[in-house]
Amino acid sequence: MATMPARANLSIKKDSSMASHKLFLLPGDGIGPEVMGEVKKLIAWFNARGIASFEVEEGLVGGAAYDAHGEAISDADMDRAQASDAVIFGAVGGPKWDGVPYDKRPEAGLLRLRKDMVLYANLRPAIVYPALADASSLKRELVEGLDILILRELTGGVYFGQPKEITDLGNGQKRAVDTQVYDSYEIDRIARVAFELARTRRNQVCSMEKHNVMKSGVLWKEVVIETHKKGFEDVELSHMLADAGGMQLVRNPKQFDVIVTDNLFGDILSDVAAMLTGSLGMLPSASLGAADEKTGRRKALYEPVHGSAPDIAGKGLANPIAMIASFAMALKYSFALGNWADKVDTAIAATLAKNLRTGDIMQPGMTQVGTGEMGDAVIAELEAAA
Ligand code: IPM
Ligand code: MN
């Protein structure tokens, strides 16, 4: 007799009522506030249409928070993030804060949100929109139709392991230590999410680590294999050393479906995957915590993969698509509005098909537009399709 497939409970209960959803916006630094402005338009559109009822609060993170109260995020804003149904995050950092103490640097605000909210599962899809296949640095045939998902473990590994310090050895030398550490439960829970997500896609998971040089890699592989046996055998599982994985991502990216990997490898490999799509300005992400036992809802934060791009900040040039697509991920993973998430993605594709481009994805013969025009065009496509 076939056993019931195990579930990581990634789906959330359908919210048919018009219960209001609490969004906590953290625009952050650089282009963060500009791209967030386009999401605010989208939120207003959903509210006005009566599709959902979003309540919006806004806080400070990164350099903006440091300038206001000397911390990369305040305790009060952490509380509001914890109490929200979803955090929508822009970007943090910039040269202005290069000199601030390490524990108050802009990135510390983002890392605290991830750690304190236990957002261990970071979903980074890399999708090539048909209109952008020529914007990739790889040949069109290698990336056309690409649709892969990097699942990055987000609350463990070398980002958070202790000790993490620089000590003075007293002989004119210093020693820096970062600690790569994983407990089996951390590997098990991210593997479950990987298998569960694969089932909604092409049913393949490739796990990446470096068991040839790292004990954490040995345990990673062992636990992924064990978890796979606990009711996920219908999903095809393969393993790759992370360096070979990086090479395969640029050699033949379409061989992958879901890639599951640790925090640091996931950071690097997701930037590689992002660039396959033509621009970092295109890629959204979702960071999810464990499902609440009663409601099934997961703590969640949605953010574009790109950074704060201080060089173009404040000029209305930034590409808002990654931020808009991140909000679409919130519709899908936090609010059971997957059909609307698909419509937003279709509206993005339609906008690109009309040859509108921000500077980062500009090509000869296309029409260059700014942040606001791009956001308006996506909403116009959505409106036309609704
Ligand atoms: C990312 C970023 C962050 C990370 C930085 C800003 C701390 O590069 O989300 O990929 O390294 O995780
Ligand atoms: Mn990164």
Side-chain angles (χ1 to χ4, degrees), residues 107 110-111 114 124 152 159 267:
E107 291 79 3
L110 176 57
L111 296 176
R114 291 174 180 172
R124 299 190 159 188
R152 168 186 178 193
Y159 271 62
D267 180 44

mmCIF file of all heavy atoms in Angstrom, residues 107 110-111 114 124 152 159 267, ligand 1:
data_model
loop_
_atom_site.group_PDB
_atom_site.id
_atom_site.type_symbol
_atom_site.label_atom_id
_atom_site.label_comp_id
_atom_site.label_asym_id
_atom_site.label_seq_id
_atom_site.Cartn_x
_atom_site.Cartn_y
_atom_site.Cartn_z
ATOM 1 N N GLU A 107 22.933 46.333 7.215
ATOM 2 C CA GLU A 107 22.615 44.915 7.002
ATOM 3 C C GLU A 107 22.165 44.233 8.287
ATOM 4 O O GLU A 107 21.428 43.241 8.246
ATOM 5 C CB GLU A 107 23.832 44.166 6.434
ATOM 6 C CG GLU A 107 24.209 44.540 5.007
ATOM 7 C CD GLU A 107 24.984 45.856 4.902
ATOM 8 O OE1 GLU A 107 25.299 46.469 5.942
ATOM 9 O OE2 GLU A 107 25.262 46.283 3.757
ATOM 10 N N LEU A 110 18.395 43.814 8.632
ATOM 11 C CA LEU A 110 17.827 42.716 7.849
ATOM 12 C C LEU A 110 18.123 41.371 8.513
ATOM 13 O O LEU A 110 17.239 40.513 8.638
ATOM 14 C CB LEU A 110 18.416 42.757 6.429
ATOM 15 C CG LEU A 110 18.014 41.640 5.480
ATOM 16 C CD1 LEU A 110 16.500 41.573 5.324
ATOM 17 C CD2 LEU A 110 18.686 41.829 4.119
ATOM 18 N N LEU A 111 19.369 41.210 8.988
ATOM 19 C CA LEU A 111 19.738 39.937 9.616
ATOM 20 C C LEU A 111 18.945 39.715 10.898
ATOM 21 O O LEU A 111 18.536 38.599 11.210
ATOM 22 C CB LEU A 111 21.254 39.899 9.883
ATOM 23 C CG LEU A 111 22.118 39.930 8.614
ATOM 24 C CD1 LEU A 111 23.601 39.981 8.958
ATOM 25 C CD2 LEU A 111 21.840 38.726 7.703
ATOM 26 N N ARG A 114 15.442 38.503 9.954
ATOM 27 C CA ARG A 114 15.462 37.086 9.564
ATOM 28 C C ARG A 114 15.587 36.184 10.778
ATOM 29 O O ARG A 114 14.879 35.188 10.903
ATOM 30 C CB ARG A 114 16.652 36.828 8.624
ATOM 31 C CG ARG A 114 16.500 37.472 7.256
ATOM 32 C CD ARG A 114 17.791 37.288 6.439
ATOM 33 N NE ARG A 114 17.674 37.889 5.115
ATOM 34 C CZ ARG A 114 18.689 38.015 4.255
ATOM 35 N NH1 ARG A 114 19.913 37.591 4.587
ATOM 36 N NH2 ARG A 114 18.498 38.538 3.062
ATOM 37 N N ARG A 124 14.035 31.958 -3.714
ATOM 38 C CA ARG A 124 14.530 32.907 -4.720
ATOM 39 C C ARG A 124 14.326 32.328 -6.122
ATOM 40 O O ARG A 124 15.187 31.638 -6.653
ATOM 41 C CB ARG A 124 16.004 33.222 -4.470
ATOM 42 C CG ARG A 124 16.218 33.866 -3.109
ATOM 43 C CD ARG A 124 17.608 34.418 -2.914
ATOM 44 N NE ARG A 124 17.584 35.413 -1.846
ATOM 45 C CZ ARG A 124 18.589 36.190 -1.520
ATOM 46 N NH1 ARG A 124 19.727 36.106 -2.174
ATOM 47 N NH2 ARG A 124 18.474 37.075 -0.547
ATOM 48 N N ARG A 152 17.180 28.880 -0.196
ATOM 49 C CA ARG A 152 18.357 29.160 0.626
ATOM 50 C C ARG A 152 17.986 29.065 2.106
ATOM 51 O O ARG A 152 17.029 29.727 2.534
ATOM 52 C CB ARG A 152 18.847 30.574 0.267
ATOM 53 C CG ARG A 152 19.881 31.147 1.197
ATOM 54 C CD ARG A 152 20.173 32.612 0.834
ATOM 55 N NE ARG A 152 21.140 33.175 1.761
ATOM 56 C CZ ARG A 152 21.414 34.470 1.866
ATOM 57 N NH1 ARG A 152 20.804 35.349 1.087
ATOM 58 N NH2 ARG A 152 22.288 34.902 2.747
ATOM 59 N N TYR A 159 26.504 32.701 8.708
ATOM 60 C CA TYR A 159 25.991 34.046 8.968
ATOM 61 C C TYR A 159 25.804 34.294 10.464
ATOM 62 O O TYR A 159 25.944 35.427 10.924
ATOM 63 C CB TYR A 159 24.653 34.260 8.255
ATOM 64 C CG TYR A 159 24.791 34.792 6.845
ATOM 65 C CD1 TYR A 159 25.445 34.049 5.868
ATOM 66 C CD2 TYR A 159 24.252 36.020 6.487
ATOM 67 C CE1 TYR A 159 25.559 34.527 4.577
ATOM 68 C CE2 TYR A 159 24.361 36.504 5.190
ATOM 69 C CZ TYR A 159 25.018 35.757 4.241
ATOM 70 O OH TYR A 159 25.134 36.237 2.969
ATOM 71 N N ASP A 267 23.441 32.399 -0.829
ATOM 72 C CA ASP A 267 23.647 33.822 -1.128
ATOM 73 C C ASP A 267 24.366 33.962 -2.475
ATOM 74 O O ASP A 267 23.950 34.726 -3.349
ATOM 75 C CB ASP A 267 24.485 34.453 -0.002
ATOM 76 C CG ASP A 267 24.747 35.928 -0.247
ATOM 77 O OD1 ASP A 267 23.797 36.634 -0.631
ATOM 78 O OD2 ASP A 267 25.901 36.365 -0.070
HETATM 79 C C1 IPM B 1 21.010 39.036 0.314
HETATM 80 C C2 IPM B 1 22.002 40.092 0.725
HETATM 81 C C3 IPM B 1 22.215 39.994 2.216
HETATM 82 C C4 IPM B 1 22.831 38.650 2.515
HETATM 83 C C5 IPM B 1 23.048 41.141 2.837
HETATM 84 C C6 IPM B 1 22.466 42.491 2.510
HETATM 85 C C7 IPM B 1 23.210 40.960 4.317
HETATM 86 O O1 IPM B 1 23.185 39.954 0.007
HETATM 87 O O2 IPM B 1 19.880 39.064 0.815
HETATM 88 O O3 IPM B 1 21.361 38.181 -0.496
HETATM 89 O O4 IPM B 1 24.059 38.466 2.413
HETATM 90 O O5 IPM B 1 22.078 37.735 2.864
#
